Amino acid sequence: MSDPGFRHELDGRRHASVDERWAGGLPAQYGVAPRVRIGRDKWFNLLWLILIGFVLLIAGIAVAKGLRNIPAVQDFIRAHPGSSEPPAGTPEGIPAWLGWQHFLNLFLMIFIIRSGLSVLADHPRLYWTRNSTPGSEWYRMHKPVPDDPTYTAKADSISLPNGVGLPGRRHSIGLARWWHLGVDTLWLLNGVVFYVLIFTTGQWKRLVPMSWDVFPNSVSVAIQYLSLDWPLENGWVNYNSAQLIAYFVTVFIAAPAALVTGLGMSPALSTRFHRISSVLSIQLARSLHFLVLCWFLMFVVVHVTLVFTTGALRNLNHMYASNDGGSWLGFGVFAGSMVLVTVAWVAASPVTYRYPRVVQRIGFALIGPAQRLFEHIDSKPGRYTDKDISPFFWANGRVPESAEYLALQEGGFRDYRLSVYGLVDNPVDLDLDQLRAMANHEQITQHFCIQGWSGVAKWGGVSMQAVLDTVRPRPEAKWVVFYSFAQGSEEGIYYDVHAIEQMSYHLTMLALDMNGEPLNYHHGAPVRLRNEAQLGFKMVKWIKGIEFVDDFKDVGGGLGGYNNDHEFFGYRQSI
Ligand SMILES: Nc1nc2c(c(=O)[nH]1)N[C@H]1C(S)=C(S)[C@@H](COP(=O)(O)O)O[C@H]1N2
Ligand SMILES: [Mo]
């Protein structure tokens, strides 16, 4: 075949660090204070909550103090002093393993929360439905979306300061995700060990409410705390009812909900398990995931405040020295652990910028097995119908500007040829008429961008299986490379590599039409890929060539895609 291929148009470099010039050297773009939509188009700035919360606290204290002068309330508090009797056989005290797990949990959650905020900042809007229509979000921390068809989802991402986000900079979603998903696996592991140990040692009895009187008791605790006349506590033996409910919700509701809502954003799982994904859409999952974060943040603030105001030394001895004494030992251990936390907190961003490939490798070692596993799940057709098609579909990426492409576009793509070559028995150059003459394949599916937005569209064109049947890949062909007319964010053309296994999936196709019209310029004219088991960045737009290879280490930077070479993404992105 005469075609020399497209590899020479790729950028052969791969980035090893993040500096000022990285990702086109785009300046940081900061968003606005978080706000929530009220009604149609009024926005409430959440910073007001600090003031409102303070006022409510003062008012609550006044009310509670008043209540305690009422004889009926005094009777109520006498009848419900604040805690239920612990069930028989409840162990006393906090064992050392629990202290260790508590610390590990706290330590890991810092990085999960920071990187999670960075992920959110990449599409700083939350929606209740799977359509990510500008203006329909219930939460945003960015200005309204401008009415401009060339505005991309990438341009809409914002930066977070280094110490807040992880890594904190614009377009570093790849690194944010390695942190988030990698540390998640450690956190889940810690959680599994915790579950096993609490159920084998009976410690669970201290965390699970066993009688209905936790409710009146927790009301009583709230009145006592708010009236600033606090009950006598003995957390070594038994938690008060409000504490019990808070711990129960955190351990048995919030933590599992974080996992379930996290997995609800996976393209591979969502396109396979329709029953679940029709209820838990990616955007609902994302919104709930955010609310779980809000719970954890609220919990941390109240928990830490109360630890320090209700007998700090004794409380710290419980969790950090497993004893019930009043010495400074627990405080010492706690202070030492905080030094570790501070060093890790401060170092995380600069270390990530200096050694992004190390972060990527560790992240992949941790979450890679799950990503590989989910990749083997063939997507299931038939989830969506015409009425599900999203009214708005974000566009992303850098449009093609080469003379080569513009000339083809000028001629209505009459001279367009799709070269399919490499390790195949029958390499072909297909024009659009030939592609359209192949069996028509149509699907209505949901797109999952790595940034977090989604949209449903109807795609028409050719199933990848039909292309395989035409070119007949050789047994050595393991990977399929898709080359674009468009440049990536920096040097070289955009490309991405897919496992050959996924090319035969039900929902893998070359799309020529979107929602019944030929693809437009922004969405990838004349041909783009759809592989619904993967995230959006793998679906190359403006395709000019497809090459079958046995290995991708000699393609571009060798990491399996433009974003992997340049922005530290991964090549398996089923989650
Ligand atoms: N050539 C090329 N293809 C690309 C991109 C790109 O930057 N260049 N961006 C990807 C990303 S990140 C996404 S989310 C989808 C967006 O497709 P859409 O613009 O049709 O929504 O295209 C993918 N394909
Ligand atoms: Mo994307």
Side-chain angles (χ1 to χ4, degrees), residues 125 127 134-135 137 143-147 151 156 392 394:
R125 310 176 189 278
Y127 318 83
E137 62 268 47
K143 293 186 283 277
V145 176
D147 189 9
Y151 188 73
D156 197 51
F392 179 92
W394 284 84

Side-chain angles (χ1 to χ4, degrees), residues 549-560:
V549 299
D550 56 354
D551 196 336
F552 54 76
K553 68 176 189 304
D554 297 323
V555 180
L559 297 176

Side-chain angles (χ1 to χ4, degrees), residues 154 396 447-451 453 536-537:
K154 275 203 170 137
N396 226 356
H447 180 94
F448 297 69
C449 174
I450 193 168
Q451 297 183 275
W453 57 269
F537 75 86

Side-chain angles (χ1 to χ4, degrees), residues 152-154 393-400 447-451 453 459 482-489 493-496 514 519-524 528-530 535-543 562-563 569:
T152 61
K154 275 203 170 137
F393 203 99
W394 284 84
N396 226 356
R398 183 158 164 191
V399 292
H447 180 94
F448 297 69
C449 174
I450 193 168
Q451 297 183 275
W453 57 269
W459 305 98
F482 292 82
Y483 298 98
S484 177
F485 283 105
Q487 246 182 271
S489 55
I493 58 169
Y494 193 92
Y495 79 101
D496 202 85
M514 179 183 187
L519 279 176
N520 69 23
Y521 179 49
H522 293 287
H523 291 296
R528 70 159 320 152
L529 178 66
R530 300 297 313 167
L535 288 176
F537 75 86
K538 294 193 64 75
M539 303 187 205
V540 178
K541 299 191 285 187
W542 312 289
I543 297 174
Y562 192 90
N563 289 308
F569 287 20

Side-chain angles (χ1 to χ4, degrees), residues 6 73 94 117 192 366 403 451 475 553:
F6 302 108
V73 175
I94 311 279
L117 288 174
V192 168
L366 291 167
Q451 297 183 275
K553 68 176 189 304

Side-chain angles (χ1 to χ4, degrees), residues 100-326:
W100 276 102
Q101 287 213 302
H102 176 263
F103 171 72
L104 268 178
N105 182 65
L106 159 180
F107 187 77
L108 297 173
M109 283 200 54
I110 289 168
F111 303 102
I112 293 177
I113 290 175
R114 286 182 56 195
S115 55
L117 288 174
S118 275
V119 173
L120 176 62
D122 229 56
H123 188 68
R125 310 176 189 278
L126 294 169
Y127 318 83
W128 293 120
T129 76
R130 63 185 81 248
N131 302 322
S132 303
T133 312
S136 76
E137 62 268 47
W138 66 268
Y139 169 97
R140 64 176 163 85
M141 45 187 202
H142 199 8
K143 293 186 283 277
V145 176
D147 189 9
D148 169 4
T150 66
Y151 188 73
T152 61
K154 275 203 170 137
D156 197 51
S157 67
I158 59 170
S159 293
L160 295 175
N162 275 351
V164 180
L166 182 56
R169 286 171 67 138
R170 189 172 183 196
H171 290 327
S172 46
I173 178 103
L175 293 169
R177 279 171 49 100
W178 290 126
W179 269 106
H180 195 71
L181 299 174
V183 178
D184 276 352
T185 54
L186 297 176
W187 181 73
L188 287 172
L189 214 68
N190 191 51
V192 168
V193 173
F194 177 73
Y195 272 42
V196 169
L197 286 176
I198 57 171
F199 285 110
T200 51
T201 59
Q203 280 285 337
W204 66 274
K205 293 182 184 160
R206 303 198 45 176
L207 296 172
V208 180
M210 305 274 239
S211 88
W212 292 111
D213 70 348
V214 288
F215 292 110
N217 268 317
S218 60
V219 171
S220 162
V221 170
I223 296 172
Q224 294 180 68
Y225 270 95
L226 274 174
S227 65
L228 305 181
D229 177 4
W230 293 2
L232 268 184
E233 304 265 16
N234 190 1
W236 185 250
V237 177
N238 192 13
Y239 296 130
N240 76 49
S241 291
Q243 206 175 1
L244 185 60
I245 291 176
Y247 292 175
F248 177 80
V249 169
T250 302
V251 170
F252 296 107
I253 297 176
L259 173 65
V260 171
T261 55
L263 290 177
M265 298 180 234
S266 150
L269 296 183
S270 297
T271 36
R272 175 63 185 77
F273 300 105
H274 293 176
R275 206 66 75 71
I276 300 171
S277 71
S278 52
V279 181
L280 188 70
S281 80
I282 172 184
Q283 297 308 335
L284 180 60
R286 230 173 130 244
S287 291
L288 295 176
H289 204 68
F290 176 78
L291 293 180
V292 171
L293 164 72
C294 293
W295 168 266
F296 275 117
L297 290 179
M298 218 172 62
F299 175 84
V300 169
V301 169
V302 176
H303 177 68
V304 172
T305 306
L306 290 176
V307 163
F308 281 93
T309 50
T310 61
L313 288 184
R314 221 171 137 204
N315 287 336
L316 289 172
N317 271 329
H318 291 176
M319 211 33 118
Y320 285 84
S322 346
N323 75 63
D324 191 27

